[in-house]
Amino acid sequence: QMTEIAKKLADSGAVVPAKTKTQFDSLNKDFESLRKRFGVPLPAPAAGRGGGGGGRGAPPPDPENVLARTATLKNQLTSVWETPSAAMVGQYTEAKADMPKAIADANAWLTRAAAVSQALKKSDITLTVPPPVK
């Protein structure tokens, strides 16, 4: 939705107040940061994509992607029989602090998005915003 709305607002024929455009631009910029933290992919290009594996030998998760780092660490911790290494314990401590902050930031973004959605609605542009996560 964010990509489509950005295209509509960039269209010279779109009649949207400047204040609403500015609000959306700020919201979209913040979405880019949140998107990376939760591993939300960019829209796929029109051409076909090549296949790709995953599993063993896959590259490590993007350091900005809090969700993938947490999931990878969980899988690593549950696959070992011995006491986790100091490095794994450090990664756990970091993930334990990063995930709640990422969720709080996403909830704040959702609240802002709901307000921007109402402003966009006045220009017949729909942005569907789910409620914040509890």
Side-chain angles (χ1 to χ4, degrees), residues 53-102:
R56 294 192 189 272
D62 178 356
E64 291 184 73
N65 188 338
V66 176
L67 184 60
R69 283 187 302 136
T70 302
T72 299
L73 179 62
K74 178 195 137 256
N75 290 335
Q76 289 172 343
L77 288 171
T78 58
S79 69
V80 296
W81 291 82
E82 63 273 351
T83 304
S85 67
M88 282 186 169
V89 172
Q91 289 174 10
Y92 166 79
T93 302
E94 190 176 301
K96 187 176 178 183
D98 288 348
M99 184 57 79
K101 173 145 179 38

